[in-house]
Amino acid sequence: MGYAGTGADTETDVDVVVIGAGQAGLSGAYHLTRAGLDHVVLDHAPRPGGAWQFRWPSLTYGKVHGMHALPGMELTGADPLRPSSEVVGEYFAAYEDRFDLRVRRPVHVSAVREGDGGRLRVDTSAGVWSARALINATGTWDRPFWPRYPGQEAFRGRQLHTAGYAGPQEFAGKRVIVVGGGTSAVQHLLEIAEVAAETTWVTRRPPVFRDGGFGEAEGRAAVALVDERVRRGLPPQSVVSVTGLPLNEAVRAGLASGVLDRRPVFDRITPTGAVWADGSRVEADVILWATGFRAAVDHLAPLRLREPGGGIRVEGTRAVRDERVHLVGYGPSASTVGANRAGGAAVREIRRLLARERAAVPVP
């Protein structure tokens, strides 16, 4: 579903603008709808599914590293062999329809700035919205992180990021270096090794594999580590980055075969590969950067929310520098279950804010 914009020269007043229609944004919209708050959901993706719609086809639903149902509607009966992009995209579309969330797409938000009368002005490709509060749920997919190394520009092969990965078939017969220590890097390696001439795995730190279950206590501890950084105004790490890599059957096979033999990061890149400080080298046709993403919050720059440490300091979901702004799916709420909870928490805080505003208005 989707709606045309309001026209580039118009301004529309609402209580709340929600930016982004992934897990966090839909959770926020669900709770706003239940609370009876006037709101609009703006999404710049072409269709429902959030970042999931851009995942590579070989990432089937059965391989997904945890997917928590949205509030009020379970995801049941999904075929584990279908691409996760299709499964989650269809689920999100059905969710939007069921709760009449009326997501407007594609709408690109260029800036959020101070508006008139203490309101926020949201500038978009489909017009201007004036809001009393904002739920920012833009995630990270739009900001892939590309590290920089000496000689990188001179590499004559292909370089791509996880954001542009379409599956292993394009690496058939190639010599591939995969850079990154997260779940995506491991998934890429295990797939590519089946068709590539040679693979090399490079990480900044030795990978940590997690054997056994990952229960509620472990989850709380991981979230607490990310939350501590956000409270200090530092750029958030992903929750997954502090949980370790699950030691499942496929990973065990990769370790046994040598596919997951890790090398420390190289010293520099050459036109034909990479060189380490000890003089060793690897020739490569492709460098795949599975190096993660950063929070997509540049449109909030006019509000000056960033701390000296580079991040936005958040208490719960509320930006410390502006109580009208709530970040969901940011830092400790970046997991699917965390995004659900954050959506509800943000709406509760916004209801309190709006109630205080109403109480402060003098009766004529």
Side-chain angles (χ1 to χ4, degrees):
M1 65 182 289
Y3 289 80
T6 60
D9 58 347
T10 64
E11 181 170 330
T12 305
D13 289 348
V14 292
D15 287 331
V16 186
V17 169
V18 180
I19 307 176
Q23 186 100 15
L26 292 182
S27 174
Y30 168 84
H31 289 288
L32 287 168
T33 300
R34 294 190 70 190
L37 292 176
D38 182 29
H39 67 280
V40 64
V41 185
L42 309 175
D43 188 28
H44 81 162
R47 55 191 176 274
W52 290 97
Q53 65 192 273
F54 305 113
R55 298 294 201 270
W56 49 101
S58 55
L59 180 62
T60 56
Y61 187 66
K63 296 179 182 178
V64 167
H65 187 68
M67 170 64 194
H68 197 80
L70 285 158
M73 179 176 163
E74 293 293 323
L75 171 54
T76 59
D79 182 351
L81 299 180
R82 288 188 69 201
S84 59
S85 58
E86 296 179 4
V87 171
V88 180
E90 292 170 5
Y91 170 55
F92 280 18
Y95 189 84
E96 293 176 15
D97 283 337
R98 177 170 177 177
F99 296 106
D100 196 24
L101 298 185
R102 304 191 182 188
V103 179
R104 297 180 181 237
R105 60 168 61 89
V107 177
H108 173 67
V109 176
S110 55
V112 180
R113 62 185 79 250
E114 193 65 47
D116 296 329
R119 299 173 71 91
L120 294 166
R121 175 189 167 104
V122 183
D123 295 331
T124 85
S125 60
V128 176
W129 274 267
S130 174
R132 300 163 72 189
L134 176 80
I135 292 179
N136 191 82
T138 46
T140 63
W141 187 260
D142 294 323
R143 283 200 64 200
F145 174 63
W146 292 74
R148 296 301 171 193
Y149 288 93
Q152 190 169 352
E153 294 77 10
F155 181 63
R156 293 199 292 263
R158 181 187 178 198
Q159 297 186 61
L160 74 159
H161 190 276
T162 291
Y165 179 78
Q169 63 281 350
E170 57 187 324
F171 303 97
K174 305 290 186 181
R175 299 165 299 177
V176 184
I177 297 175
V178 176
V179 185
T183 304
S184 293
V186 171
Q187 291 176 346
H188 296 338
L189 274 161
L190 295 177
E191 292 183 348
I192 292 170
E194 296 182 2
V195 299
E198 179 183 322
T199 60
T200 302
W201 187 23
V202 172
T203 71
R204 286 196 303 117
R205 291 183 294 271
V208 176
F209 294 95
R210 185 187 77 244
D211 196 2
F214 188 77
E216 186 175 343
E218 292 83 0
R220 284 198 302 267
V223 169
L225 290 173
V226 180
D227 184 55
E228 191 272 337
R229 285 183 59 88
V230 170
R231 287 178 181 272
R232 290 164 52 200
L234 299 173
Q237 292 175 311
S238 69
V239 174
V240 173
S241 72
V242 296
T243 62
L245 296 164
L247 195 56
N248 55 32
E249 183 178 339
V251 171
R252 291 181 191 277
L255 290 167
S257 68
V259 170
L260 296 180
D261 285 348
R262 167 260 181 189
R263 296 191 65 167
V265 73
F266 36 71
D267 185 58
R268 59 188 175 89
I269 297 173
T270 70
T272 60
V275 176
W276 279 254
D278 62 4
S280 61
R281 64 177 57 232
V282 167
E283 299 298 297
D285 304 298
V286 181
I287 300 175
L288 172 54
W289 300 94
T291 44
F293 299 79
R294 299 294 184 263
V297 292
D298 289 351
H299 56 288
L300 301 180
L303 297 177
R304 302 183 182 277
L305 302 179
R306 288 191 186 273
E307 301 291 334
I312 299 175
R313 190 153 60 98
V314 172
E315 292 285 349
T317 63
R318 175 179 53 83
V320 170
R321 290 179 178 262
D322 193 328
E323 67 176 347
R324 299 168 298 178
V325 178
H326 289 261
L327 284 82
V328 297
Y330 178 86
S333 64
S335 65
T336 55
V337 63
N340 281 357
R341 293 170 179 166
V347 173
R348 287 192 294 273
E349 287 290 323
I350 289 170
R351 291 181 72 182
R352 294 189 189 104
L353 171 67
L354 300 187
R356 290 199 308 271
E357 288 183 356
R358 285 192 294 268
V361 176
V363 178

